[in-house]
Amino acid sequence: MISLENVTKIYQRGAAPALDSCTLNIGAGEFVFLVGSSGSGKSTLLSLILREERVTSGTIHVLGKDVSKLSRWRVPHFRRNIGTVFQDFKLLENKSVFDNVAIAMQVIGKPRHLILTEVPRVLETVGLGGKERRMPHELSGGEMQRVAIARAMINRPKLLLADEPTGNLDPRTSLGIMRLLDQINRNGTTVVMATHDHEIVNQVRNRVVELEEGKVIRDQEHGSYGAGR
Ligand code: ADP
Ligand code: MG
């Protein structure tokens, strides 16, 4: 599903590498926590997978494609297979919950009748049934993140990338979001989640890949994170 070979990313000439000779394989159906302190390279790794950034050296294959060889005009089509969720939700403030999710289907030309049946169905699965007409400012943080997850999942991507999805949420709400991502993974979607939330990682015990100064320093099945665990 994802395979990195000796991937190095240097943003500016002379700067320390954000990623330094990373080699990593993630199989279909896995749920992987990407952990490490701030600045360790987690977001960089996700943006290379998404082809928002390009590698300085090394190769990345995602969903069978060599991402570094993907021409620019193919990138949007490539990204259709990948859902993304971020710490700051990235909702459209002047659009309803329904429209925030529907837009992901509209941009790829899905017919209206499908949008009208699929959006309520997905909102139901993320626990937002009946809240279609709310505006983002009428939602709690956890509900906003559920909208973002619904939008990420509406086109049934094979891969979900989540960058600190619980970073703006309190521990209880975070756990709910974590359960939802876990459920999405159980339904067959590969999930890669960058986080420095020790509690979440230690509660779920998925595979843990730890970065430090751009290097993979640990890759552990059923891993933990943080002192004393
Ligand atoms: P994390 O997500 O683990 O906090 P990042 O991948 O954001 O880490 O950052 C890794 C390193 O790369 C940091 O030193 C950061 O300052 C640097 N970096 C990240 N994005 C950019 C960018 N767009 N331009 C220059 N440097 C960047
Ligand atoms: Mg980051």
Side-chain angles (χ1 to χ4, degrees):
M1 174 78 35
I2 301 173
S3 144
L4 284 82
E5 234 182 275
N6 264 312
V7 169
T8 293
K9 173 67 183 178
I10 299 172
Y11 284 102
Q12 284 142 353
R13 221 140 56 111
L19 280 183
D20 193 353
S21 314
C22 283
T23 296
L24 180 67
N25 285 290
I26 296 174
E30 284 199 69
F31 191 127
V32 180
F33 285 127
L34 200 56
V35 306
S37 53
S38 180
S40 58
K42 304 182 296 297
S43 297
T44 298
L45 182 48
L46 296 182
S47 53
L48 290 172
I49 293 170
L50 245 194
R51 188 37 157 79
E52 282 176 347
E53 294 287 347
R54 302 189 75 162
V55 299
T56 305
S57 62
T59 53
I60 303 190
H61 285 82
V62 179
L63 294 154
K65 292 207 166 59
D66 185 337
V67 174
S68 42
K69 290 201 177 117
L70 211 59
S71 58
R72 190 176 290 265
W73 66 273
R74 285 187 193 273
V75 170
H77 196 267
F78 162 74
R79 288 199 188 130
R80 283 191 195 179
N81 297 305
I82 307 176
T84 52
V85 177
F86 300 94
Q87 176 169 2
D88 60 358
F89 320 131
K90 297 193 191 293
L91 299 183
L92 298 166
E93 289 302 324
N94 58 349
K95 292 205 182 291
S96 68
V97 166
F98 183 97
D99 289 342
N100 263 282
V101 178
I103 204 153
M105 294 183 80
Q106 285 158 357
V107 295
I108 62 168
K110 287 287 164 76
R112 191 176 150 73
H113 71 90
L114 212 57
I115 295 175
L116 289 174
T117 57
E118 281 294 284
V119 173
R121 186 191 62 77
V122 169
L123 285 171
E124 192 71 45
T125 65
V126 301
L128 291 176
K131 298 197 171 160
E132 284 85 351
R133 300 175 82 90
R134 296 266 190 105
M135 297 301 282
H137 73 266
E138 297 171 319
L139 301 175
S140 68
E143 287 171 332
M144 285 195 243
Q145 194 58 297
R146 285 170 191 273
V147 176
I149 293 170
R151 181 181 55 191
M153 296 308 298
I154 188 88
N155 294 319
R156 304 171 191 260
K158 297 185 182 74
L159 174 62
L160 180 65
L161 304 179
D163 196 353
E164 310 269 3
T166 63
N168 279 334
L169 306 174
D170 61 65
R172 233 184 84 118
T173 311
S174 295
L175 196 60
I177 292 298
M178 185 56 226
R179 290 219 177 92
L180 178 58
L181 295 175
D182 193 48
Q183 186 192 322
I184 287 167
N185 173 249
R186 281 167 203 270
N187 288 332
T189 308
T190 307
V191 180
V192 182
M193 170 171 163
T195 182
H196 53 241
D197 188 333
H198 297 221
E199 208 168 316
I200 290 276
V201 174
N202 290 324
Q203 250 157 17
V204 190
R205 302 272 168 163
N206 287 326
R207 178 177 169 193
V208 171
V209 172
E210 182 165 1
L211 293 176
E212 191 179 280
E213 295 179 350
K215 291 192 180 71
V216 176
I217 59 161
R218 183 163 64 104
D219 185 349
Q220 198 174 21
E221 290 299 322
H222 314 295
S224 58
Y225 183 40
R229 300 279 187 148

